[in-house]
Amino acid sequence: LIERIESHFGRVRPDALIVDEDATPLSRVAVALARQAGAASFVVQHGAPGCRFGFAPPAADRLLVWGESSRRQLERWGVPPERIQVVGSPRHELRKWSAAAHRFGRDAPSRRPPQVLLLTTVPPRDDRPDSVAIHFTRRGYAAMLRAALAAVSAIFGARLIVKLHPRAPDDPIVRAALAEFPALDAQIVRDGTVEAWVSRTDCVLSCFSSAGIEATLAGVPVIQLLPPGSGNLLPHDEWGLVGSARSEAELQPLLTRALNRPDSRGPGPDRRVFAELGRAAAMRAAD
């Protein structure tokens, strides 16, 4: 790795290095050699900071993060404040959440049965320390999914769309959980963007995923599913989430509240918000 990257840098002679994380061997080597060559290095936040891996401790000179929620999380993990630069969406902040929901939320009642979108994640590896530390094992993942399916099953006429993670084209843990609820109107989907599926849904259940955080930006109610026994990952009051649930008993009232919001059952959210926020963040990152 060192020889190949040194050779590449010798040809390119970079002024700056941009990576999506600085924790893996390739990225760490690149950051070290960039510094040696006099080039600044930047990490552009690659996902919701659910665990330290990929974020802390930092190797790069600067971390360009989504918002103040990310900054506070990184500081709690010991990242020096001067190495963090906020460039992303301010709509992650609770004090601005109500305005975002008003602008991009639903505004007309509907009599159709509720539709719930479940955003799954990559099935965990039980030998990965950062995942085990937050109780995210295959057993914990199965418990999260069962809680979600049971809660949706208890809502009359509810339909569930299960969106598999792009890096998990098939998920045997999801299939096993669905087999336990044969009466539930559920469909597994692999294709399509988060924006497209969010625009058709009344509530999102998110396995503490970046996609769930993105969905909040469109004003859709999002509930975070956490492994039983885990800590306060992605605190809901900092990320615009309805709440967090580790069991069916915790999830059921949150789901009922989300589906019964006055603005929750009308036309889909404004999908332009994703592109607008992306352009604005890109300009700040470039600066």
Side-chain angles (χ1 to χ4, degrees), residues 49-85:
C51 58
R52 293 172 188 259
F53 184 80
F55 298 104
D61 299 321
R62 283 280 191 84
L63 304 181
L64 308 185
V65 303
W66 293 348
E68 292 296 326
S69 305
S70 299
R71 180 185 62 76
R72 286 191 292 269
Q73 179 63 76
L74 291 173
E75 288 184 359
R76 285 194 288 266
W77 285 338
V79 177
E82 62 271 15
R83 295 175 72 176
I84 305 170
Q85 186 74 40

Side-chain angles (χ1 to χ4, degrees), residues 179-251:
E180 298 180 28
F181 296 85
L184 176 62
D185 181 8
Q187 176 188 0
I188 294 178
V189 297
R190 298 178 182 83
D191 302 323
T193 64
V194 171
E195 296 97 321
W197 287 109
V198 163
S199 69
R200 307 172 197 171
T201 194
D202 301 304
C203 178
V204 174
L205 304 180
S206 168
C207 295
F208 63 97
S209 70
S210 301
I213 298 299
E214 290 174 2
T216 66
L217 301 177
V220 179
V222 179
I223 302 170
Q224 178 177 224
L225 303 177
L226 293 177
S230 64
N232 192 22
L233 305 178
L234 301 177
H236 72 273
D237 54 350
E238 292 194 9
W239 291 94
L241 302 163
V242 174
S244 298
R246 296 170 181 82
S247 66
E248 180 189 356
E250 292 179 359
L251 176 57

Side-chain angles (χ1 to χ4, degrees), residues 20-31:
D20 65 347
E21 49 81 15
D22 59 358
T24 57
L26 175 66
S27 294
R28 290 257 164 169
V29 169
V31 167

Side-chain angles (χ1 to χ4, degrees), residues 84-154:
I84 305 170
Q85 186 74 40
V86 173
V87 298
S89 169
R91 291 197 178 92
H92 289 306
E93 305 309 306
L94 176 66
R95 57 185 172 273
K96 300 172 184 175
W97 164 243
S98 59
H102 176 74
R103 178 180 175 191
F104 298 108
R106 287 92 190 297
D107 55 13
S110 172
R111 293 183 179 180
R112 65 173 174 77
Q115 182 157 291
V116 178
L117 176 65
L118 172 59
L119 299 173
T120 66
T121 187
V122 178
R125 287 168 35 196
D126 289 352
D127 61 345
R128 182 166 167 166
D130 58 306
S131 296
V132 174
I134 58 175
H135 296 250
F136 189 49
T137 60
R138 296 176 75 83
R139 181 177 179 181
Y141 183 37
M144 290 165 57
L145 295 171
R146 286 194 205 98
L149 300 180
V152 175
S153 296

Side-chain angles (χ1 to χ4, degrees), residues 271-282:
R271 290 168 57 181
R272 293 171 298 178
V273 62
F274 295 95
E276 290 170 3
L277 296 176
R279 279 193 294 270

